[in-house]
Amino acid sequence: MSFNKSRGAAALGGGDELVLRGTISKKWTFLLCLGSFCIGLIFTNRMWTMPEPKEIIRRSALEVNKMNLVSGDCAQSSIAEQKDIIGEVPRTQDAIQALDKTISNLEMELASAKASQEESELNGAPQSESTGKRRYFMVIGINTAFSSRKRRDSVRATWMPQGERRRKLEEEKGIIIRFVIGHSASSGGILDRAIDAEDRKHGDFMRLDHVEGYLELAAKTKSFFVTALSTWDAEYYIKVDDDVHVNIATLGNILAKHRSKPRAYIGCMKSGPVLAQKGVRYHEPEYWKFGEWGNKYFRHATGQLYAISKDLASYISINQHVLHKYANEDVSLGAWFIGLDVEHVDDRRLCCGTQPDCEWKAQAGNVCAASFDWSCSGICKSADRMKEVHQRCGENGSAIWNAKF
């Protein structure tokens, strides 16, 4: 019994010890948690200390200054950029204008080539000519009529080379010379057959798809440029009347000086009166378009001889169906170029008088390119006087062969 009691007491004593130990462990756990929490609060307060108001103000002021500096720099750079942009505007405009001209020239050349090819196919021009494999210097078209056989013969006997010399002129100097004529109202009639026979003998005609007539000179001039352009690729195309004396080498030297001008219109520029009165020579039915009664025409080359560059011939070819024709062909040609960027070249050597005027100038070394009488709008009685004018006013016979264009 005593033994059992002692064991029970021991058992009871051991249970109290276990209870006491559990109580101590809970207290220490609580204290440790509380201490950790306090330490955590202290650490957190140190890490997240709020800045003082003065520091906030200082920082804000610094940030504002920085923003002002940045905005100031941006404003200055913006002004500088604006000045640079304004300075670039004129240069940009010049570049755009140059580009527009280049594009315009390319379009004109392309349209010219297309028009030339189409015209060649319609006219049945030889393939070598229509493709433009050979580039010529100038094409001289001598305007003539059915009744001007004696005038043509006087030209052939003086300033226009014949036969082998004319072919040599084409091959070595690149100069084409042809009499220019259309056909009669009754195509294939006696007048046309006479020209055909003359052409078989001399081979120096350019036939146009045009009905001859004095009142149709503007249409004939337009047809000449279109046909000449489609037949020969040349730098210049010249129209001259068959009663005018021409020094070919001098003419070539004049034209060669203007090669840098892509749209050159060369001749003796004038501005004659617009004649409104009916029945007078050179009457202009559309006089009212030129302003009040008694006004003058705009500047244009006199009709005895003038030259245009290839670009202008191309322009005529491309726009031939919308170019208006006035009563006078020289006025019509000048009107076609109004509003275009064309260089008007006024050279008085293209409108000298006959002897003694051209003779004195030739003796002084200033040879004329073209000579005629203003009173007759050509050499008076040219069929009889052309030889005399050539002898007194003509250039040296070797001038054309020694010339370098």
Side-chain angles (χ1 to χ4, degrees):
M1 284 296 289
S2 59
F3 175 77
N4 290 335
K5 286 180 179 180
S6 60
R7 289 182 63 183
L12 288 170
D16 292 339
E17 186 178 355
L18 289 171
V19 170
L20 182 61
R21 289 178 181 176
T23 302
I24 293 172
S25 298
K26 289 179 180 180
K27 289 180 179 180
W28 279 106
T29 300
F30 176 76
L31 290 173
L32 288 172
C33 290
L34 182 61
S36 298
F37 177 73
C38 292
I39 292 171
L41 285 176
I42 294 170
F43 179 78
T44 304
N45 288 336
R46 288 184 177 180
M47 293 297 294
W48 293 95
T49 301
M50 294 297 290
E52 294 182 1
K54 292 182 179 179
E55 292 180 355
I56 294 174
I57 294 171
R58 284 198 297 269
R59 289 180 184 176
S60 300
L62 289 174
E63 290 175 357
V64 170
N65 290 334
K66 289 181 181 179
M67 292 294 292
N68 290 336
L69 289 174
V70 171
S71 63
D73 292 340
C74 291
Q76 291 177 358
S77 62
S78 176
I79 294 172
E81 289 177 359
Q82 289 177 359
K83 290 181 178 179
D84 291 340
I85 292 172
I86 293 172
E88 286 292 332
V89 168
R91 290 191 289 272
T92 302
Q93 290 176 343
D94 292 340
I96 292 173
Q97 290 177 356
L99 183 60
D100 286 341
K101 285 186 178 181
T102 302
I103 294 173
S104 177
N105 291 337
L106 291 174
E107 289 177 344
M108 185 173 289
E109 290 178 5
L110 180 61
S112 173
K114 184 177 179 181
S116 298
Q117 184 177 1
E118 293 176 352
E119 190 73 20
S120 304
E121 292 174 355
L122 291 174
N123 295 338
Q127 183 67 20
S128 60
E129 293 178 346
S130 63
T131 55
K133 292 181 179 179
R134 168 69 192 273
R135 185 72 184 271
Y136 292 91
F137 176 46
M138 60 180 174
V139 176
I140 302 175
I142 307 172
N143 188 35
T144 192
F146 290 114
S147 59
S148 299
R149 173 62 186 266
K150 290 184 178 180
R151 286 186 179 183
R152 291 192 292 272
D153 286 340
S154 69
V155 171
R156 293 184 180 113
T158 53
W159 62 267
M160 179 181 179
Q162 293 297 296
E164 187 61 32
R165 293 176 71 248
R166 181 165 57 84
R167 284 186 287 272
K168 182 181 178 182
L169 187 67
E170 296 177 4
E171 294 173 3
E172 295 185 4
K173 301 299 180 181
I175 299 175
I176 305 293
I177 307 177
R178 295 288 188 275
F179 288 106
V180 179
I181 196 168
H183 56 81
S184 63
S186 56
S187 183
I190 187 172
L191 296 176
D192 294 301
R193 292 199 299 270
I195 294 296
D196 292 338
E198 190 178 345
D199 192 24
R200 285 193 296 269
K201 180 179 179 180
H202 298 282
D204 55 5
F205 277 92
M206 175 193 295
R207 302 300 299 272
L208 305 177
D209 184 15
H210 165 78
V211 178
E212 286 290 325
Y214 180 77
L215 298 178
E216 297 297 328
L217 290 179
K220 183 177 181 179
T221 298
K222 180 169 63 175
S223 181
F224 159 65
F225 286 124
V226 172
T227 305
L229 177 69
S230 67
T231 308
W232 297 286
D233 179 16
E235 295 182 55
Y236 293 100
Y237 298 87
I238 299 97
K239 176 262 177 181
V240 59
D241 290 338
D242 60 5
D243 56 354
V244 173
H245 181 269
V246 178
N247 284 320
I248 302 173
T250 304
L251 174 61
N253 289 328
I254 292 174
L255 300 182
K257 293 180 180 179
H258 302 287
R259 275 186 162 131
S260 61
K261 302 168 184 175
R263 291 173 292 277
Y265 174 34
I266 306 170
C268 287
M269 299 296 163
K270 67 173 184 177
S271 180
V274 181
L275 301 178
Q277 185 178 355
K278 292 183 178 180
V280 300
R281 192 179 185 187
Y282 307 127
H283 166 63
E284 179 58 72
E286 297 180 271
Y287 62 90
W288 58 274
K289 290 185 177 180
F290 298 92
E292 300 300 325
W293 188 286
N295 274 4
K296 290 186 176 182
Y297 289 114
F298 41 78
R299 287 285 174 181
H300 61 280
T302 184
Q304 284 80 5
L305 185 148
Y306 46 72
I308 62 174
S309 60
K310 181 183 177 181
D311 280 2
L312 295 184
S314 300
Y315 173 80
I316 293 173
S317 178
I318 295 166
N319 300 282
Q320 57 180 302
H321 301 298
V322 294
L323 295 178
H324 185 70
K325 300 182 294 293
Y326 291 99
N328 302 301
E329 52 100 5
D330 52 352
V331 171
S332 297
L333 183 71
W336 299 339
F337 301 148
I338 289 293
L340 302 183
D341 186 14
V342 173
E343 183 79 19
H344 287 62
V345 179
D346 182 22
D347 196 314
R348 310 315 289 184
R349 289 175 292 174
L350 298 174
C351 56
C352 295
T354 57
Q355 65 273 19
D357 180 32
C358 60
E359 187 175 13
W360 290 343
K361 292 177 180 177
Q363 291 174 357
N366 188 24
V367 180
C368 294
S371 301
F372 56 90
D373 300 312
W374 284 103
S375 59
C376 299
S377 298
I379 298 176
C380 299
K381 300 181 179 179
S382 64
D384 301 323
R385 295 183 58 233
M386 183 68 74
K387 187 175 182 179
E388 180 185 1
V389 174
H390 182 66
Q391 290 174 344
R392 295 191 177 186
C393 304
E395 59 195 1
N396 188 286
S398 60
I400 186 60
W401 309 111
N402 295 330
K404 294 181 181 180
F405 306 121

